[in-house]
């Protein structure tokens, strides 16, 4: 059975595997604080349909309460351990089945096993808030093993913590002219690809949101990361098939174990 990946923009993807729909870091807003959606139409209502939604960390462009509020009643929601304390608004999403998870925790949804894995990224709810939660990635295992990295920098134990995977959804940029600590740019994402050695990869987390009034500030950081990742990946991980999707585009991958 093929696995289908759809990129809706930023870190929001749908992974369809074993008749289960997995939604990553749902963000359906045209504007978020000082950011506006500069490229790609807003995801259609069907994008909100999921059996389980995964939240990688507490930053508002990944844990976006209004977007989570649009998910259908009964949708399962996995969030980092401590998130409900750090983000009280999660407690008002009573229509969702919320579970806190940490690295190593596994959740079974239909024919899938979703395993939380570590990430190297700031786990606070910024810009305020004293409480921390671990930033996470997730490995979705069914017909394929799909790694959603969330936001992360490189770290020494990445390959060991994530384990063998068939598909990697890797962040290759951000939403502003400069990337801080705990992020992957196109070059570092290609290095992560070399370490993980999946069969296929999809670049995400670039070319969608940008600060209002800063379109002319380092514009290559908005436009270029996807193409740069394709180029760097060909050099550093030539055995990996990279699928650079447009907003709303999908790829179907046949996985043979």
């Amino acid at each position: 059975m093929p696995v289908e990946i759809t990129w809706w923009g930023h870190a929001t993807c749908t992974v369809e595997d074993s008749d289960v729909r997995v939604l990553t870091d749902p963000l359906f807003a045209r504007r978020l604080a000082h950011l506006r959606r500069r490229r790609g139409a807003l995801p259609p209502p069907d994008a909100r349909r999921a059996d389980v939604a995964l939240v990688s960390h507490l930053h508002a462009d990944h844990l976006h309460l209004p977007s989570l509020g649009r998910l259908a009643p009964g949708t399962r929601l996995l969030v980092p351990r401590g998130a409900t304390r750090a983000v009280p608004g999660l407690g008002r999403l009573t229509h969702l089945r919320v579970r806190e998870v940490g690295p190593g925790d596994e959740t079974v949804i239909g024919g899938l096993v979703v395993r939380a894995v570590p990430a190297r990224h700031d786990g606070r709810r910024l810009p305020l808030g004293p409480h921390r939660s671990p930033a996470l990635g997730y490995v979705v295992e069914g017909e394929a093993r799909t790694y959603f990295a969330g936001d992360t920098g490189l770290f020494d134990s990445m390959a060991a913590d994530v384990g063998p995977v068939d598909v990697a959804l890797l962040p290759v940029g951000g939403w502003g002219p400069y990337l801080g600590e705990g992020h992957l740019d196109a070059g570092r994402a290609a290095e992560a690809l070399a370490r993980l050695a999946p069969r296929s990869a999809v670049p995400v987390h670039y070319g969608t949101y940008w600060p209002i009034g800063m379109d002319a500030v380092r514009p290559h950081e908005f436009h270029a990361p996807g193409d740069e990742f394709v180029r760097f990946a060909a050099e550093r991980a030539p055995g990996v098939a990279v699928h650079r999707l447009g907003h709303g585009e999908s790829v179907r991958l046949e996985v043979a174990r």
Side-chain angles (χ1 to χ4, degrees), residues 76 78 81 99 101-109 112-116 139 141:
R76 299 177 75 169
L78 304 186
R81 187 173 295 127
R99 182 191 179 202
V101 295
D105 288 345
E106 295 185 346
T107 305
V108 177
I109 301 101
L112 297 184
V113 176
V114 179
R115 174 169 53 92
V139 175
E141 183 165 1

Side-chain angles (χ1 to χ4, degrees), residues 1-3 143-145 166-167 199 253-257:
M1 178 184 295
V3 174
E143 294 292 327
R145 292 165 298 201
D166 302 298
V167 186
R199 291 180 173 86
L253 303 171
E254 295 286 347
V255 178
R257 293 286 179 88

